[in-house]
């Protein structure tokens, strides 16, 4: 919520001339101007020059993420009967959405609430909410990015309801809805060391597309 990420490119004809370091210096200055002490430099793992450059400019590797893309042919159908109710969220659900996200990810509730509430003002993103016996138990955020596809983010189950296969049911229901709404490319990102999430996503039809490494640059 108070994080800055960046990535950059230098044309092959102009590499090894100091341009990359000048760009980093300019980025550092802007990060300082905005009141941050560090930022994350994002590199595609399959391009060795990126991580090498990140390390050379003082970046410390913090984590890595897979970007996965859904293969619709492998998507299982949701269970035909379930007590879990899944629907599009409204601004009236903002407090429930924020409470679940903050609890599931350990994020500050006030900042999460502001982020969730702001999303309802944009037409390229929206939230789903899952309820069980009228209790809010799950959240899932959808964001459309032109030229890339539809991203699943903010997917979480309240801690008290985890390990009950509710997340799988919720995700499958939303994915089926997105498919009927005509979303051809559905993507999700997950940290490489999150074994349970990786197992779930791959079991329901997501395949690896790219891998990104994140390097912390202190300014």
């Amino acid at each position: 919520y108070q994080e800055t990420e960046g990535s950059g490119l230098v044309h092959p004809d102009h590499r090894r001339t100091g341009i990359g370091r000048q760009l980093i210096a300019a980025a550092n200055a802007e990060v300082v101007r905005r009141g941050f002490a560090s930022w994350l430099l994002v590199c595609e793992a399959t391009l060795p020059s990126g991580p090498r450059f990140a390390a050379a400019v003082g970046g410390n590797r913090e984590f890595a993420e897979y970007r996965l893309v859904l293969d619709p042919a492998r998507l299982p159908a949701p269970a035909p009967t379930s007590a879990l109710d899944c629907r599009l969220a409204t601004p009236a659900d903002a407090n429930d959405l924020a409470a679940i996200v903050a609890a599931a990810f350990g994020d500050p509730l006030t900042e999460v609430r502001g982020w969730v509430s702001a999303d309802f003002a944009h037409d390229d993103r929206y939230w789903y909410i899952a309820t069980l016996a009228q209790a809010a138990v799950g959240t899932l955020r959808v964001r459309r990015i032109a030229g890339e596809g539809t991203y699943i983010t903010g997917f979480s189950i309240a801690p008290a309801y985890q390990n009950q296969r509710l997340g799988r049911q919720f995700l499958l229901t939303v994915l089926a809805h997105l498919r009927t709404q005509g979303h051809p490319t559905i993507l999700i990102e997950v940290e490489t060391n999150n074994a349970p999430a990786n197992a779930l996503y791959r079991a329901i039809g997501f395949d690896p597309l790219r891998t990104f490494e994140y390097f912390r640059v202190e300014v």
Side-chain angles (χ1 to χ4, degrees):
Y1 306 99
Q2 293 295 325
E3 186 68 277
T4 300
E5 296 179 3
S7 60
L9 296 170
V10 175
H11 191 284
D13 292 346
H14 299 280
R15 291 177 184 163
R16 299 185 182 279
T17 62
I19 293 174
R21 289 180 179 273
Q22 291 179 56
L23 288 170
I24 293 294
N28 285 343
E30 181 63 18
V31 168
V32 169
R33 189 185 72 82
R34 291 174 180 260
F36 297 103
S38 67
W39 59 289
L40 289 171
L41 179 58
V42 188
C43 303
E44 188 166 356
T46 55
L47 302 175
S49 59
R52 284 200 302 265
F53 174 76
V57 297
N60 293 306
R61 187 180 185 279
E62 198 157 283
F63 64 96
E65 283 186 333
Y66 294 125
R67 178 174 294 171
L68 309 173
V69 61
L70 181 66
D71 177 1
R74 293 175 47 224
L75 179 65
T81 59
S82 172
L84 193 70
D85 180 58
C86 309
R87 60 173 174 81
L88 278 171
T90 70
D93 298 308
N95 285 339
D96 284 336
L97 294 171
I100 294 171
V101 171
F105 292 105
D107 292 327
L109 178 58
T110 300
E111 293 190 25
V112 176
R113 187 183 293 115
W115 168 54
V116 171
S117 298
D119 266 357
F120 287 102
H122 300 273
D123 60 8
D124 64 343
R125 63 202 73 172
Y126 45 95
W127 288 81
Y128 287 86
I129 189 167
T131 59
L132 187 66
Q134 298 185 332
V137 301
T139 70
L140 189 149
R141 179 177 183 259
V142 174
R143 184 177 182 187
R144 300 187 308 274
I145 298 181
E148 293 188 30
T150 301
Y151 281 84
I152 301 292
T153 70
F155 174 46
S156 56
I157 298 295
Y161 294 90
Q162 293 177 5
N163 302 313
Q164 300 178 36
R165 295 179 66 85
L166 297 177
R168 177 187 174 92
Q169 179 65 22
F170 183 25
L171 181 57
L172 286 176
T173 301
V174 173
L175 290 173
H177 183 257
L178 292 176
R179 292 291 301 159
T180 63
Q181 295 296 308
H183 295 260
T185 304
I186 301 175
L187 306 116
I188 198 165
E189 294 183 343
V190 58
E191 287 195 33
T192 56
N193 62 358
N194 188 339
N198 274 290
L200 169 62
Y201 299 153
R202 297 186 190 213
I204 65 174
F206 281 95
D207 294 319
L209 182 64
R210 303 171 80 176
T211 303
F212 297 97
E213 293 185 292
Y214 292 74
F215 291 80
R216 176 73 60 185
V217 179
E218 304 289 342
V219 295

